[in-house]
Structures are given as structure tokens and as C-alpha cells.
């Protein structure tokens, strides 16, 4: 795996969801809304919204956002929190209400040996 043309200090936020069919449109809408805000932030590199179309995997919606550094992530967390509070949106409440299972974590590249 080559890291050519990639930020070596990148942080990847990966959110994996098991989304019931009835909740799909609402969850996708909230992801689009949040990612629109993320794309405007300093340190944002790229993002992906992926939907499973085959295979036995448990998670059917996966999002990934690449940030230049942990410092960029640290700056954006309160910005997103404030934006969500302004519109009275709670990700935790929405996930619980819709019966969505979430696995959320930050990742970094594995160094080549």
C-alpha cells in the first residue's frame, strides 16, 4: 500500500451503522447535512458515504471523513456540536429512536514496514 500523495498524519473518522430500511432516508439526510458542514472546515481532506449492496456484512451504511491531523479533528468537534444544538439535533437520540446500531471511531494509517 502506497501513501504517496496522502497526508501522513491523517485521521480518519469512520462511522459504521446498521440502519433499518425504514430509517434509511432520515439517516442519509442527517449524514448529508453533517458532511456539508464538515466539508467547509479547515483540515478537511475528503469524505465518503457508502451503502452496502452485497455481501454478508452487518453494517449497511458507512461514512468516512479524512482530516489532515488530530488538531483539525479537535477543532471541528465543537463546531459540529454547536451546529447540531442550534437545530436541536441529537445524533444519539436519533440513533436510539430509529433503532440504529452505530460503531464510531477514529483511525490512522498503518505505517509501511
Amino acid at each position: 500500500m502506497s501513501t504517496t500523495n496522502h497526508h501522513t498524519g491523517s485521521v480518519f473518522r469512520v462511522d459504521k451503522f446498521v440502519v433499518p430500511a425504514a430509517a434509511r432516508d432520515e439517516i442519509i439526510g442527517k449524514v448529508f447535512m453533517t458532511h456539508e458542514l464538515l466539508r467547509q472546515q479547515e483540515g478537511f481532506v475528503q469524505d465518503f458515504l457508502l451503502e452496502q449492496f452485497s455481501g454478508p456484512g452487518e453494517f449497511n451504511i458507512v461514512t468516512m471523513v479524512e482530516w489532515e491531523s488530530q488538531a483539525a479533528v479537535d477543532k471541528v468537534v465543537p463546531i459540529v456540536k454547536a451546529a447540531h444544538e442550534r437545530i436541536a439535533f441529537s445524533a444519539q437520540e436519533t440513533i436510539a429512536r430509529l433503532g440504529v446500531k452505530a460503531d464510531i471511531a477514529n483511525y490512522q494509517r498503518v505505517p509501511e514496514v
Side-chain angles (χ1 to χ4, degrees):
M1 288 185 292
S2 173
T3 57
T4 306
N5 295 326
H6 296 287
H7 297 93
T8 56
S10 290
V11 172
F12 298 86
R13 167 69 180 251
V14 180
D15 298 353
K16 300 177 286 191
F17 303 99
V18 178
V19 179
R24 180 196 176 274
D25 290 345
E26 184 172 347
I27 291 295
I28 295 289
K30 298 302 186 191
V31 169
F32 281 149
M33 174 193 71
T34 300
H35 281 234
E36 188 68 30
L37 173 63
L38 298 178
R39 290 182 195 113
Q40 299 170 27
Q41 304 308 309
E42 185 178 338
F44 172 87
V45 177
Q46 64 180 335
D47 66 335
F48 298 95
L49 170 56
L50 308 171
E51 185 169 25
Q52 180 184 18
F53 69 93
S54 69
E58 175 183 18
F59 298 99
N60 56 335
I61 302 290
V62 177
T63 68
M64 187 197 74
V65 179
E66 180 179 2
W67 296 97
E68 287 179 353
S69 65
Q70 184 60 49
V73 173
D74 294 343
K75 285 182 185 176
V76 79
V77 168
I79 292 169
V80 171
K81 182 178 179 181
H84 285 172
E85 286 174 355
R86 277 193 300 277
I87 62 169
F89 170 65
S90 166
Q92 294 80 11
E93 184 278 330
T94 301
I95 285 170
R97 176 175 51 82
L98 296 174
V100 172
K101 177 181 172 185
D103 178 46
I104 296 170
N106 290 334
Y107 295 81
Q108 62 187 8
R109 290 184 191 276
V110 175
E112 292 188 41
V113 288

mmCIF file with all atom_site columns, all heavy atoms in Angstrom, residues 70-85:
data_model
loop_
_atom_site.group_PDB
_atom_site.id
_atom_site.type_symbol
_atom_site.label_atom_id
_atom_site.label_alt_id
_atom_site.label_comp_id
_atom_site.label_asym_id
_atom_site.label_entity_id
_atom_site.label_seq_id
_atom_site.pdbx_PDB_ins_code
_atom_site.Cartn_x
_atom_site.Cartn_y
_atom_site.Cartn_z
_atom_site.occupancy
_atom_site.B_iso_or_equiv
_atom_site.pdbx_formal_charge
_atom_site.auth_seq_id
_atom_site.auth_comp_id
_atom_site.auth_asym_id
_atom_site.auth_atom_id
_atom_site.pdbx_PDB_model_num
ATOM 1   N N   . GLN A 1 70 ? -4.990  15.311 13.846 1.00 0.00 ? 70 GLN A N   1
ATOM 2   C CA  . GLN A 1 70 ? -5.832  15.259 15.043 1.00 0.00 ? 70 GLN A CA  1
ATOM 3   C C   . GLN A 1 70 ? -6.222  16.667 15.479 1.00 0.00 ? 70 GLN A C   1
ATOM 4   O O   . GLN A 1 70 ? -7.318  16.888 15.978 1.00 0.00 ? 70 GLN A O   1
ATOM 5   C CB  . GLN A 1 70 ? -5.116  14.528 16.183 1.00 0.00 ? 70 GLN A CB  1
ATOM 6   C CG  . GLN A 1 70 ? -5.969  14.347 17.426 1.00 0.00 ? 70 GLN A CG  1
ATOM 7   C CD  . GLN A 1 70 ? -7.232  13.556 17.180 1.00 0.00 ? 70 GLN A CD  1
ATOM 8   O OE1 . GLN A 1 70 ? -7.197  12.482 16.584 1.00 0.00 ? 70 GLN A OE1 1
ATOM 9   N NE2 . GLN A 1 70 ? -8.378  14.072 17.628 1.00 0.00 ? 70 GLN A NE2 1
ATOM 10  N N   . ALA A 1 71 ? -5.342  17.625 15.258 1.00 0.00 ? 71 ALA A N   1
ATOM 11  C CA  . ALA A 1 71 ? -5.662  19.017 15.608 1.00 0.00 ? 71 ALA A CA  1
ATOM 12  C C   . ALA A 1 71 ? -6.885  19.507 14.840 1.00 0.00 ? 71 ALA A C   1
ATOM 13  O O   . ALA A 1 71 ? -7.733  20.213 15.393 1.00 0.00 ? 71 ALA A O   1
ATOM 14  C CB  . ALA A 1 71 ? -4.454  19.919 15.341 1.00 0.00 ? 71 ALA A CB  1
ATOM 15  N N   . ALA A 1 72 ? -6.996  19.125 13.576 1.00 0.00 ? 72 ALA A N   1
ATOM 16  C CA  . ALA A 1 72 ? -8.167  19.506 12.775 1.00 0.00 ? 72 ALA A CA  1
ATOM 17  C C   . ALA A 1 72 ? -9.430  18.872 13.350 1.00 0.00 ? 72 ALA A C   1
ATOM 18  O O   . ALA A 1 72 ? -10.474 19.528 13.437 1.00 0.00 ? 72 ALA A O   1
ATOM 19  C CB  . ALA A 1 72 ? -7.974  19.103 11.320 1.00 0.00 ? 72 ALA A CB  1
ATOM 20  N N   . VAL A 1 73 ? -9.340  17.620 13.748 1.00 0.00 ? 73 VAL A N   1
ATOM 21  C CA  . VAL A 1 73 ? -10.482 16.931 14.355 1.00 0.00 ? 73 VAL A CA  1
ATOM 22  C C   . VAL A 1 73 ? -10.891 17.653 15.638 1.00 0.00 ? 73 VAL A C   1
ATOM 23  O O   . VAL A 1 73 ? -12.076 17.916 15.870 1.00 0.00 ? 73 VAL A O   1
ATOM 24  C CB  . VAL A 1 73 ? -10.148 15.450 14.644 1.00 0.00 ? 73 VAL A CB  1
ATOM 25  C CG1 . VAL A 1 73 ? -11.272 14.774 15.427 1.00 0.00 ? 73 VAL A CG1 1
ATOM 26  C CG2 . VAL A 1 73 ? -9.856  14.696 13.360 1.00 0.00 ? 73 VAL A CG2 1
ATOM 27  N N   . ASP A 1 74 ? -9.903  17.982 16.462 1.00 0.00 ? 74 ASP A N   1
ATOM 28  C CA  . ASP A 1 74 ? -10.190 18.650 17.733 1.00 0.00 ? 74 ASP A CA  1
ATOM 29  C C   . ASP A 1 74 ? -10.893 19.989 17.521 1.00 0.00 ? 74 ASP A C   1
ATOM 30  O O   . ASP A 1 74 ? -11.749 20.373 18.316 1.00 0.00 ? 74 ASP A O   1
ATOM 31  C CB  . ASP A 1 74 ? -8.900  18.849 18.529 1.00 0.00 ? 74 ASP A CB  1
ATOM 32  C CG  . ASP A 1 74 ? -8.277  17.529 18.972 1.00 0.00 ? 74 ASP A CG  1
ATOM 33  O OD1 . ASP A 1 74 ? -8.973  16.490 18.966 1.00 0.00 ? 74 ASP A OD1 1
ATOM 34  O OD2 . ASP A 1 74 ? -7.081  17.543 19.324 1.00 0.00 ? 74 ASP A OD2 1
ATOM 35  N N   . LYS A 1 75 ? -10.548 20.697 16.462 1.00 0.00 ? 75 LYS A N   1
ATOM 36  C CA  . LYS A 1 75 ? -11.182 21.989 16.175 1.00 0.00 ? 75 LYS A CA  1
ATOM 37  C C   . LYS A 1 75 ? -12.623 21.831 15.693 1.00 0.00 ? 75 LYS A C   1
ATOM 38  O O   . LYS A 1 75 ? -13.473 22.669 15.971 1.00 0.00 ? 75 LYS A O   1
ATOM 39  C CB  . LYS A 1 75 ? -10.389 22.748 15.103 1.00 0.00 ? 75 LYS A CB  1
ATOM 40  C CG  . LYS A 1 75 ? -9.118  23.359 15.589 1.00 0.00 ? 75 LYS A CG  1
ATOM 41  C CD  . LYS A 1 75 ? -8.450  24.119 14.458 1.00 0.00 ? 75 LYS A CD  1
ATOM 42  C CE  . LYS A 1 75 ? -7.099  24.658 14.868 1.00 0.00 ? 75 LYS A CE  1
ATOM 43  N NZ  . LYS A 1 75 ? -6.416  25.319 13.743 1.00 0.00 ? 75 LYS A NZ  1
ATOM 44  N N   . VAL A 1 76 ? -12.892 20.771 14.939 1.00 0.00 ? 76 VAL A N   1
ATOM 45  C CA  . VAL A 1 76 ? -14.211 20.635 14.326 1.00 0.00 ? 76 VAL A CA  1
ATOM 46  C C   . VAL A 1 76 ? -15.266 20.076 15.289 1.00 0.00 ? 76 VAL A C   1
ATOM 47  O O   . VAL A 1 76 ? -16.449 20.362 15.132 1.00 0.00 ? 76 VAL A O   1
ATOM 48  C CB  . VAL A 1 76 ? -14.139 19.800 13.029 1.00 0.00 ? 76 VAL A CB  1
ATOM 49  C CG1 . VAL A 1 76 ? -14.063 18.310 13.311 1.00 0.00 ? 76 VAL A CG1 1
ATOM 50  C CG2 . VAL A 1 76 ? -15.317 20.097 12.131 1.00 0.00 ? 76 VAL A CG2 1
ATOM 51  N N   . VAL A 1 77 ? -14.861 19.336 16.285 1.00 0.00 ? 77 VAL A N   1
ATOM 52  C CA  . VAL A 1 77 ? -15.833 18.723 17.201 1.00 0.00 ? 77 VAL A CA  1
ATOM 53  C C   . VAL A 1 77 ? -16.763 19.767 17.828 1.00 0.00 ? 77 VAL A C   1
ATOM 54  O O   . VAL A 1 77 ? -17.996 19.623 17.758 1.00 0.00 ? 77 VAL A O   1
ATOM 55  C CB  . VAL A 1 77 ? -15.128 17.854 18.263 1.00 0.00 ? 77 VAL A CB  1
ATOM 56  C CG1 . VAL A 1 77 ? -16.083 17.452 19.378 1.00 0.00 ? 77 VAL A CG1 1
ATOM 57  C CG2 . VAL A 1 77 ? -14.512 16.617 17.616 1.00 0.00 ? 77 VAL A CG2 1
ATOM 58  N N   . PRO A 1 78 ? -16.253 20.840 18.424 1.00 0.00 ? 78 PRO A N   1
ATOM 59  C CA  . PRO A 1 78 ? -17.191 21.822 18.999 1.00 0.00 ? 78 PRO A CA  1
ATOM 60  C C   . PRO A 1 78 ? -18.010 22.575 17.950 1.00 0.00 ? 78 PRO A C   1
ATOM 61  O O   . PRO A 1 78 ? -19.131 23.005 18.235 1.00 0.00 ? 78 PRO A O   1
ATOM 62  C CB  . PRO A 1 78 ? -16.277 22.779 19.780 1.00 0.00 ? 78 PRO A CB  1
ATOM 63  C CG  . PRO A 1 78 ? -14.901 22.544 19.280 1.00 0.00 ? 78 PRO A CG  1
ATOM 64  C CD  . PRO A 1 78 ? -14.859 21.157 18.730 1.00 0.00 ? 78 PRO A CD  1
ATOM 65  N N   . ILE A 1 79 ? -17.487 22.712 16.752 1.00 0.00 ? 79 ILE A N   1
ATOM 66  C CA  . ILE A 1 79 ? -18.228 23.384 15.678 1.00 0.00 ? 79 ILE A CA  1
ATOM 67  C C   . ILE A 1 79 ? -19.460 22.557 15.299 1.00 0.00 ? 79 ILE A C   1
ATOM 68  O O   . ILE A 1 79 ? -20.563 23.082 15.167 1.00 0.00 ? 79 ILE A O   1
ATOM 69  C CB  . ILE A 1 79 ? -17.312 23.621 14.460 1.00 0.00 ? 79 ILE A CB  1
ATOM 70  C CG1 . ILE A 1 79 ? -16.234 24.652 14.810 1.00 0.00 ? 79 ILE A CG1 1
ATOM 71  C CG2 . ILE A 1 79 ? -18.117 24.053 13.239 1.00 0.00 ? 79 ILE A CG2 1
ATOM 72  C CD1 . ILE A 1 79 ? -15.114 24.769 13.789 1.00 0.00 ? 79 ILE A CD1 1
ATOM 73  N N   . VAL A 1 80 ? -19.264 21.254 15.135 1.00 0.00 ? 80 VAL A N   1
ATOM 74  C CA  . VAL A 1 80 ? -20.378 20.368 14.791 1.00 0.00 ? 80 VAL A CA  1
ATOM 75  C C   . VAL A 1 80 ? -21.376 20.309 15.949 1.00 0.00 ? 80 VAL A C   1
ATOM 76  O O   . VAL A 1 80 ? -22.594 20.390 15.733 1.00 0.00 ? 80 VAL A O   1
ATOM 77  C CB  . VAL A 1 80 ? -19.869 18.957 14.411 1.00 0.00 ? 80 VAL A CB  1
ATOM 78  C CG1 . VAL A 1 80 ? -21.030 17.979 14.260 1.00 0.00 ? 80 VAL A CG1 1
ATOM 79  C CG2 . VAL A 1 80 ? -19.044 19.017 13.141 1.00 0.00 ? 80 VAL A CG2 1
ATOM 80  N N   . LYS A 1 81 ? -20.876 20.203 17.155 1.00 0.00 ? 81 LYS A N   1
ATOM 81  C CA  . LYS A 1 81 ? -21.766 20.150 18.323 1.00 0.00 ? 81 LYS A CA  1
ATOM 82  C C   . LYS A 1 81 ? -22.638 21.399 18.388 1.00 0.00 ? 81 LYS A C   1
ATOM 83  O O   . LYS A 1 81 ? -23.858 21.309 18.589 1.00 0.00 ? 81 LYS A O   1
ATOM 84  C CB  . LYS A 1 81 ? -20.939 20.004 19.604 1.00 0.00 ? 81 LYS A CB  1
ATOM 85  C CG  . LYS A 1 81 ? -21.781 19.892 20.837 1.00 0.00 ? 81 LYS A CG  1
ATOM 86  C CD  . LYS A 1 81 ? -20.944 19.698 22.080 1.00 0.00 ? 81 LYS A CD  1
ATOM 87  C CE  . LYS A 1 81 ? -21.859 19.621 23.285 1.00 0.00 ? 81 LYS A CE  1
ATOM 88  N NZ  . LYS A 1 81 ? -21.169 19.451 24.527 1.00 0.00 ? 81 LYS A NZ  1
ATOM 89  N N   . ALA A 1 82 ? -22.048 22.570 18.195 1.00 0.00 ? 82 ALA A N   1
ATOM 90  C CA  . ALA A 1 82 ? -22.807 23.824 18.242 1.00 0.00 ? 82 ALA A CA  1
ATOM 91  C C   . ALA A 1 82 ? -23.836 23.894 17.111 1.00 0.00 ? 82 ALA A C   1
ATOM 92  O O   . ALA A 1 82 ? -24.969 24.340 17.329 1.00 0.00 ? 82 ALA A O   1
ATOM 93  C CB  . ALA A 1 82 ? -21.853 25.019 18.170 1.00 0.00 ? 82 ALA A CB  1
ATOM 94  N N   . ALA A 1 83 ? -23.447 23.454 15.920 1.00 0.00 ? 83 ALA A N   1
ATOM 95  C CA  . ALA A 1 83 ? -24.383 23.467 14.783 1.00 0.00 ? 83 ALA A CA  1
ATOM 96  C C   . ALA A 1 83 ? -25.567 22.550 15.052 1.00 0.00 ? 83 ALA A C   1
ATOM 97  O O   . ALA A 1 83 ? -26.714 22.904 14.765 1.00 0.00 ? 83 ALA A O   1
ATOM 98  C CB  . ALA A 1 83 ? -23.655 23.059 13.505 1.00 0.00 ? 83 ALA A CB  1
ATOM 99  N N   . HIS A 1 84 ? -25.310 21.380 15.600 1.00 0.00 ? 84 HIS A N   1
ATOM 100 C CA  . HIS A 1 84 ? -26.396 20.446 15.915 1.00 0.00 ? 84 HIS A CA  1
ATOM 101 C C   . HIS A 1 84 ? -27.302 21.012 17.014 1.00 0.00 ? 84 HIS A C   1
ATOM 102 O O   . HIS A 1 84 ? -28.526 20.874 16.947 1.00 0.00 ? 84 HIS A O   1
ATOM 103 C CB  . HIS A 1 84 ? -25.837 19.092 16.315 1.00 0.00 ? 84 HIS A CB  1
ATOM 104 C CG  . HIS A 1 84 ? -25.330 18.294 15.153 1.00 0.00 ? 84 HIS A CG  1
ATOM 105 N ND1 . HIS A 1 84 ? -24.645 17.112 15.315 1.00 0.00 ? 84 HIS A ND1 1
ATOM 106 C CD2 . HIS A 1 84 ? -25.381 18.499 13.813 1.00 0.00 ? 84 HIS A CD2 1
ATOM 107 C CE1 . HIS A 1 84 ? -24.320 16.627 14.127 1.00 0.00 ? 84 HIS A CE1 1
ATOM 108 N NE2 . HIS A 1 84 ? -24.750 17.455 13.209 1.00 0.00 ? 84 HIS A NE2 1
ATOM 109 N N   . GLU A 1 85 ? -26.707 21.671 18.019 1.00 0.00 ? 85 GLU A N   1
ATOM 110 C CA  . GLU A 1 85 ? -27.509 22.261 19.089 1.00 0.00 ? 85 GLU A CA  1
ATOM 111 C C   . GLU A 1 85 ? -28.418 23.370 18.558 1.00 0.00 ? 85 GLU A C   1
ATOM 112 O O   . GLU A 1 85 ? -29.559 23.489 18.998 1.00 0.00 ? 85 GLU A O   1
ATOM 113 C CB  . GLU A 1 85 ? -26.602 22.799 20.197 1.00 0.00 ? 85 GLU A CB  1
ATOM 114 C CG  . GLU A 1 85 ? -25.991 21.696 21.039 1.00 0.00 ? 85 GLU A CG  1
ATOM 115 C CD  . GLU A 1 85 ? -24.966 22.203 22.046 1.00 0.00 ? 85 GLU A CD  1
ATOM 116 O OE1 . GLU A 1 85 ? -24.643 23.419 22.054 1.00 0.00 ? 85 GLU A OE1 1
ATOM 117 O OE2 . GLU A 1 85 ? -24.481 21.370 22.833 1.00 0.00 ? 85 GLU A OE2 1
#
